[in-house]
Amino acid sequence: MAEQRIRVVLVDDHPVVRAGVRALVDAQDDLDVVGEAADSTQAVAVVGETQPDVVLMDLSLGDGPGGAETTRLVRELPSPPHVLVLTTYDTEADVLEAVDAGASGYLLKDAPPDELFRAIRGTARGETVLAPSVATRLLQRAASPTPKVSPREVEILRLLARGLGNKEMARELLVSEATVKSHLSHIYTKLGVDTRAGAVATAIERRILRP
C-alpha cells in the first residue's frame, strides 16, 4: 500500500521564495504542495479550500496581518492543519508569539533542505519541531533566573523602538499614561537600564526585538 502523501500549503509574500520552496518540496516522493498564498486573507482561503496537513508560514506577510496572527486564524478553522513557521526571524518575541498562536514548529530559512523535509514530516505527525538556535533560546529563557519581559512589555518595547511617546503609546494600547509609565518602570528594572534608548538597545542585544 502506497504511503499517504503529506499535503502542504506555502504562505510567503515573496513569489521567488515560494517557487524555490515548492520546487524542493514537490521533488520529495511523499510531499505535495497543494496551494500557495501571499498574505493572510489568501492563506485562510487556500487552507480552507485545500485542507492541507501542514502550512509553511512566513512571519512577515507585507502590510496586513503577519504570520503569527495568520497562524491563529488558520488554527481556528475546522479540522485545522499543523503550522510550521519558516522565517528569517528568530527573536524571542517572534518565537513566543508564533508558538502562542498555535505553531507546532519553528524553522529558519537558512536550514538545509533535508532539515526542512524532516521538519515538515515531523510537523505532519504532530511533533514539535524547533530550529536548534530557537530551542536553545527557549531553554535558556525557561532556565534563566532573570525576570522575563511579558508580552505586553514586548509591545511597549516595540512602540518605543518606533519612537512613540507615552501619550501615543497609551492611545495605541488603549490604556492610561500611568499604565504605560508603570510598564516602562518594570521594563527598565528587568533590562537593567534607565533610559528609553537603553531599553530598546538592550532588547535588541538580547534578541527580544528585531534590529
Side-chain angles (χ1 to χ4, degrees):
M1 182 176 176
E3 183 180 359
Q4 185 174 359
R5 297 170 70 88
I6 297 169
R7 297 162 57 80
V8 180
V9 162
L10 310 178
V11 182
D12 194 298
D13 62 340
H14 291 97
V16 171
V17 172
R18 293 200 308 274
V21 174
R22 175 185 274 272
L24 287 170
V25 172
D26 274 344
Q28 298 300 295
D29 291 340
D30 60 335
L31 306 179
D32 270 330
V33 175
V34 296
E36 298 182 17
D39 58 36
S40 183
T41 301
Q42 288 180 14
V44 174
V46 170
V47 169
E49 291 167 5
T50 59
Q51 297 289 299
D53 302 298
V54 175
V55 176
L56 281 183
M57 181 76 69
D58 191 14
L59 288 185
S60 179
L61 299 177
D63 296 331
E69 177 59 23
T70 304
T71 295
R72 196 183 310 279
L73 294 172
V74 164
R75 292 292 298 161
E76 289 173 351
L77 292 171
S79 303
H82 297 291
V83 176
L84 172 61
V85 170
L86 181 64
T87 187
T88 57
Y89 304 119
D90 66 345
T91 67
E92 183 177 296
D94 287 317
V95 175
L96 293 177
E97 190 176 13
V99 172
D100 286 346
S104 299
Y106 200 107
L107 202 63
L108 302 180
K109 287 183 176 178
D110 61 0
D114 284 347
E115 188 176 336
L116 171 62
F117 305 146
R118 285 195 300 271
I120 293 172
R121 293 173 185 126
T123 301
R125 291 192 297 267
E127 299 171 6
T128 298
V129 181
L130 299 174
S133 63
V134 171
T136 299
R137 185 160 301 116
L138 291 180
L139 287 172
Q140 288 173 340
R141 174 183 172 86
S144 173
T146 307
K148 299 173 181 62
V149 178
S150 71
R152 174 61 91 176
E153 289 163 353
V154 171
E155 285 186 83
I156 295 281
L157 283 166
R158 283 174 171 158
L159 297 179
L160 274 182
R162 286 169 46 191
L164 271 63
N166 289 4
K167 185 176 293 186
E168 295 168 305
M169 286 193 285
R171 188 180 305 119
E172 182 138 341
L173 298 174
L174 303 176
V175 299
S176 67
E177 283 189 66
T179 298
V180 170
K181 289 177 182 177
S182 175
H183 283 308
L184 286 173
S185 176
H186 293 151
I187 288 169
Y188 290 172
T189 299
K190 289 178 179 181
L191 297 184
V193 299
D194 54 14
T195 66
R196 301 163 82 90
V200 173
T202 300
I204 291 173
E205 179 185 343
R206 294 189 186 179
R207 304 190 70 80
I208 296 170
L209 294 180
R210 300 176 195 168

